[in-house]
Amino acid sequence: MLTERRLVLLIPPLVWVGWYFLPESPPFWAIAEHWRISLTMAFGSFVAGATAEAGGAVAFPVFTKVLSIPPAHAKLFALATQSIGMGSAFLTILLLRIRVEWRAVRWAVLGSIPALPLGFVLAEHLPSSAVRMLFTVVQASFALALWWHNRDPACDRHEHLSRFGFMEKSTLLGGGMLGGLISGMLGSGLEIIVFSLLVLWFRLCEKAATPTVIVMMVLTSWSGFAMMIGSGLFVPPISAYWLAAVPIVAMGAPLGVYVCSRMSRIRVVQTLIFLILIELISSLLLI
């Protein structure tokens, strides 16, 4: 385990080297110009690694409500940045040998990736205010369900999926499709939908569900990022924002994974509900 931990420490430097030699050189100017982006993602990437919330769940409300960045740009930035931040978290999970429910990952991702393009299209036909409020509704619903589920601390929870038949596969496939649709519209959402299914429906422990949805989200984010590049959507200012965030998220997300592995289950739940409550209050104040 000691060797694996040492390898985890190499993840950020390796990403930094690749970032430095990107064509947009010198990338340090991106951080100087967009330091607010870097600061936001320092917190967002940590949250992404430590909880079931993707980094976009922090970036989207800050970008659209505080920095006045259009929701379309915030969505694309979230997918692009999560491909690096949650990718680093994914490597950390593998190196630390944190258990993942790979059966759930396969079926959820099988539904999420084909639904992403439809989410892209739908987002173009919705008003920006509607997109922002949709994000808030999804988050608040998740927090309410999580609170309801944890009213009884003695409620039985499982460390793994004891059954995995046709019903479980169909549920995860459908949840993945809905999550992929929402992720295509908002930049994140798959992790919330599937986390809710795993915890509320399948009674999976929150600590076991968290690394599982991180793996789902990184595979979906990689696909979304590839679609962006292939369709010519990865252009300034989104690419400049991305350059400012890459070196930050490469360090924040693995740190979050490590902290989550040390946190109690109930602390993970409390952190999630607290973050969503802040987002809900900010939306109500703006309204």
Side-chain angles (χ1 to χ4, degrees), residues 63-173:
F63 281 20
T64 57
K65 298 174 183 178
V66 179
L67 303 182
S68 300
I69 293 174
H73 289 178
K75 178 267 300 286
L76 294 174
F77 167 83
L79 282 173
T81 306
Q82 285 161 185
S83 67
I84 302 298
M86 301 195 83
S88 301
F90 178 37
L91 291 177
T92 303
I93 289 170
L94 294 179
L95 289 172
L96 295 182
R97 300 178 184 177
I98 298 174
R99 192 174 58 80
V100 174
E101 278 288 350
W102 291 104
R103 296 173 298 174
V105 170
R106 285 193 293 271
W107 283 93
V109 171
L110 186 63
S112 68
I113 293 178
L116 271 174
L118 180 58
F120 286 168
V121 174
L122 286 177
E124 295 176 357
H125 295 85
L126 289 176
S128 60
S129 58
V131 174
R132 286 196 294 266
M133 289 312 302
L134 174 62
F135 181 89
T136 300
V137 169
V138 171
Q139 294 274 78
S141 301
F142 171 59
L144 182 61
L146 198 59
W147 168 79
W148 184 269
H149 179 66
N150 282 274
R151 290 177 306 149
D152 181 12
C155 180
D156 184 38
R157 293 173 180 84
H158 311 299
E159 293 296 326
H160 57 86
L161 296 176
S162 55
R163 294 174 49 191
F164 202 77
F166 175 79
M167 181 62 69
E168 288 76 18
K169 294 175 182 178
S170 302
T171 302
L172 286 168
L173 180 65

